[in-house]
Amino acid sequence: MASMVICVAGVPFEVGYPEGAVSVTRALSPYETSEPALFSVGPDASYETWARTVAPGRPDEEYLHSGLLHRVALGLLPYGCLLLHAAVVAVDGRAYAFAAPSGTGKSTHVGLWMRHFGGRARVVNGDKPILRRRDGAWLACAAPWAGKENWQTRMDVPLAGLCFLVRGGGNAIRPLGEREETDRLFAQLDPPGDPALTDAWLGLVGELVREVPSWQLTCTISDEAARLSYGAMSGRDDWDHGE
């Protein structure tokens, strides 16, 4: 086994993985640190087996990544962290998360923000960011698992809002209440699967729902949709001055 100590969401930990897993080494290397590890994780064979049943036919190392990521999420939970399936873009030092089932258009929507804002914007993570509650506030944090585009910037940014995308024939956005946000979040979070950790996980999800505003954006693939989501989530009207 090979191993590397990395730092994600401000938490250093050791990741063990099979020798020769080149894609794992490549993914972890930008996060390598000399800090002492607070915990250690390794491959999760049971999770890899489960992943093969729900997403068959992928390369073996993709299942290895799935198992490692699940173990990382469990290890980070005591530090106030949640793994979210979303794309996160930061503009002017504030992060905005877009969540939806795969193939709905998260990356496309974030790409519209990037094209418009240029140097004012950074993609924190394109697929699997870590959200961390620290000192009473939520941060969106980069992580080595960033989707097929590998969009990521090693940074931790205050989280300004969550937006759940729904494809539609027009563009409309509305705020979500706590019950509806909770239901939608459960579909985009990685639950622990361990009864001993479930209460802590649910408590953290509850704090996220209470403390971070959320919206549903029914949208087309258009600048109009991006303008609408930015205005609602940021509370600002400077979209026309983005470039």
Side-chain angles (χ1 to χ4, degrees):
M1 290 285 286
S3 67
M4 187 182 303
V5 178
I6 66 172
C7 186
V8 172
V11 182
F13 56 92
E14 182 180 27
V15 181
Y17 55 95
E19 291 276 5
V22 177
S23 66
V24 178
T25 302
R26 185 186 308 118
L28 300 183
S29 292
Y31 296 82
E32 189 171 13
T33 181
S34 59
E35 298 177 71
L38 297 178
F39 63 89
S40 299
V41 301
D44 186 331
S46 62
Y47 198 88
E48 289 179 43
T49 300
W50 173 83
R52 291 176 192 274
T53 65
V54 298
R58 295 182 176 182
D60 287 345
E61 286 197 14
E62 286 196 20
Y63 300 115
L64 172 60
H65 279 284
S66 296
L68 286 173
L69 182 56
H70 181 67
R71 293 293 298 277
V72 167
L74 294 180
L76 287 173
L77 181 59
Y79 300 92
C81 295
L82 294 170
L83 169 66
L84 179 67
H85 180 206
V88 178
V89 58
V91 175
D92 299 335
R94 303 176 76 208
Y96 306 90
F98 294 93
S102 296
T104 302
K106 298 184 301 295
S107 297
T108 301
H109 191 81
V110 166
L112 293 171
W113 281 49
M114 293 296 295
R115 186 177 67 186
H116 181 79
F117 287 110
R120 289 173 59 190
R122 295 285 187 276
V123 178
V124 179
N125 187 282
D127 191 53
K128 297 288 194 308
I130 299 295
L131 305 184
R132 184 180 188 190
R133 189 177 190 271
R134 189 173 189 179
D135 299 327
W138 284 90
L139 299 172
C141 308
W145 297 273
K148 61 182 182 296
E149 294 90 356
N150 197 33
W151 285 352
Q152 56 180 303
T153 307
R154 191 174 176 183
M155 60 193 305
D156 302 340
V157 188
L159 181 62
L162 296 168
C163 188
F164 297 89
L165 300 182
V166 177
R167 284 183 177 176
N171 299 304
I173 193 166
R174 63 179 177 86
L176 297 179
E178 291 186 6
R179 176 67 178 272
E180 191 172 4
E181 180 183 0
T182 301
D183 290 343
R184 291 177 181 271
L185 269 174
F186 280 161
Q188 305 302 327
L189 291 166
D190 186 34
D194 180 346
L197 298 174
T198 298
D199 285 348
W201 184 79
L202 288 172
L204 199 55
V205 172
E207 289 177 321
L208 177 64
V209 169
R210 289 189 296 272
E211 295 169 355
V212 177
S214 67
W215 291 264
Q216 175 184 293
L217 175 68
T218 302
C219 61
T220 60
I221 299 172
S222 64
D223 284 342
E224 179 189 357
R227 179 198 297 261
L228 191 62
S229 63
Y230 173 74
M233 298 175 76
S234 70
R236 298 169 64 174
D237 60 359
D238 62 343
W239 174 265
D240 290 330
H241 305 289
E243 297 178 341

